[in-house]
Amino acid sequence: MPTALIADDEAPMRDQLRARLLEAWPELRIVAEAANGVEAVALAAQHKPDIAFLDIRMPGMGGIEAARQLYADCHIVFATAYDQYAVEAFEHGAIDYLLKPVTLARLETTVARLRRQLDHKPQDIGAQLARLAQLGDQLLGRGAPSGKPAYLRWIQAQSGTSLRMVATSEVLFFQSDDKYTRVQTASAQHLIRKTLKELEEELDPDEFWRIHRSTLVRVDAIAEVRRDVRGRQMLSLRGYPEALEVSRNHGALFQQM
């Protein structure tokens, strides 16, 4: 029976991959789960899995660093939330990859490849891992070859026992709500634990503007800006019935008003 290790610093993503693997490869046994690269290396030494599914971006030791210590003993599959330049780096070598959120169709392709590989020793991917390591910030989501930062594209929102993936292009606004941040789309509302300050640092500033200490708005969702009877600037959004207040500190965004 083939065995595998899963390493991802986000428990919902580990849960999702485990569930997808159960569908695509029922006989695969998950022998260990890790929250970072250091744990992954230690658990791999203990359980000796045939395959390691490694998230690229983990605190402390990331997936690429962990893979450099593991590839001689097990087959490596990377998971990444950042496509485009990252995918291009993987497609020209022997390392397989999965884009998060992982789809069953893509995972089935990876499983088919792994089934064929399990009869052979893991390939020597040391040179490719070295090249990937040189990309550094690009693969960690802090930059792209063009010099344009790779901004956050997906929001992970817990919904009961499920994980919902919300594209930032669908978000109308983010708003602080006690211990949580409200994620509002035209059709639904979600709560996440990521703070507004963290979101502001990860989102494209040309796409999302802070209009209040508690609110970030997607610019192209703004339908109009008007003043109410009290002189406050109020935003109307496409696909949302309620107006949002622009604080005095951020009123300069709409200087023509």
Side-chain angles (χ1 to χ4, degrees), residues 145-159:
S146 64
K148 181 179 179 180
Y151 295 110
L152 189 65
R153 297 173 54 248
W154 295 92
I155 302 297
Q156 299 171 10
Q158 195 75 27
S159 178

Side-chain angles (χ1 to χ4, degrees), residues 14 16 26 83 85 113 147 150 152-154 188 202 211-212 216 219 231 239 241 243:
R14 296 197 300 272
Q16 193 220 23
D83 54 9
Y85 52 88
R113 180 184 296 181
L152 189 65
R153 297 173 54 248
W154 295 92
E202 297 178 9
I211 63 165
H212 192 281
L216 286 171
V219 179

Side-chain angles (χ1 to χ4, degrees), residues 212-227:
H212 192 281
R213 63 182 176 84
S214 64
T215 311
L216 286 171
V217 170
R218 184 161 57 83
V219 179
D220 64 8
I222 298 174
E224 66 175 6
V225 187
R226 59 181 174 79
R227 289 194 183 275

Side-chain angles (χ1 to χ4, degrees), residues 66 78 91 108-109 123 153 159 166 196 201 207 239 248:
F78 282 123
E91 287 185 333
E108 287 175 341
T109 299
Q123 296 187 54
R153 297 173 54 248
S159 178
V166 183
L196 211 64
E201 292 174 350
E207 293 183 10
R248 291 183 179 179

Side-chain angles (χ1 to χ4, degrees), residues 90-125:
F90 293 127
E91 287 185 333
H92 296 295
I95 304 175
D96 204 356
Y97 68 92
L98 296 168
L99 290 179
K100 298 195 292 185
V102 177
T103 65
L104 181 59
R106 179 66 183 85
L107 185 57
E108 287 175 341
T109 299
T110 294
V111 166
R113 180 184 296 181
L114 287 169
R115 286 179 185 274
R116 295 192 298 269
Q117 292 177 343
L118 285 179
D119 291 333
H120 308 281
K121 289 184 60 177
Q123 296 187 54
D124 184 350
I125 57 174

Side-chain angles (χ1 to χ4, degrees), residues 149-219:
Y151 295 110
L152 189 65
R153 297 173 54 248
W154 295 92
I155 302 297
Q156 299 171 10
Q158 195 75 27
S159 178
T161 58
S162 301
L163 181 71
R164 297 292 301 274
M165 303 300 295
V166 183
T168 56
S169 60
E170 297 177 2
V171 176
L172 299 179
F173 64 87
F174 298 94
Q175 195 165 61
S176 295
D177 187 357
D178 294 327
K179 296 180 181 179
Y180 298 89
T181 295
R182 172 185 171 189
V183 182
Q184 183 68 54
T185 69
S187 59
Q189 174 183 305
H190 308 280
L191 295 178
I192 60 174
R193 291 187 179 274
K194 191 182 288 286
T195 67
L196 211 64
K197 183 177 184 299
E198 291 172 325
L199 286 167
E200 190 172 24
E201 292 174 350
E202 297 178 9
L203 293 165
D204 187 341
D206 291 331
E207 293 183 10
F208 285 88
W209 289 357
R210 184 186 282 268
I211 63 165
H212 192 281
R213 63 182 176 84
S214 64
T215 311
L216 286 171
V217 170
R218 184 161 57 83
V219 179

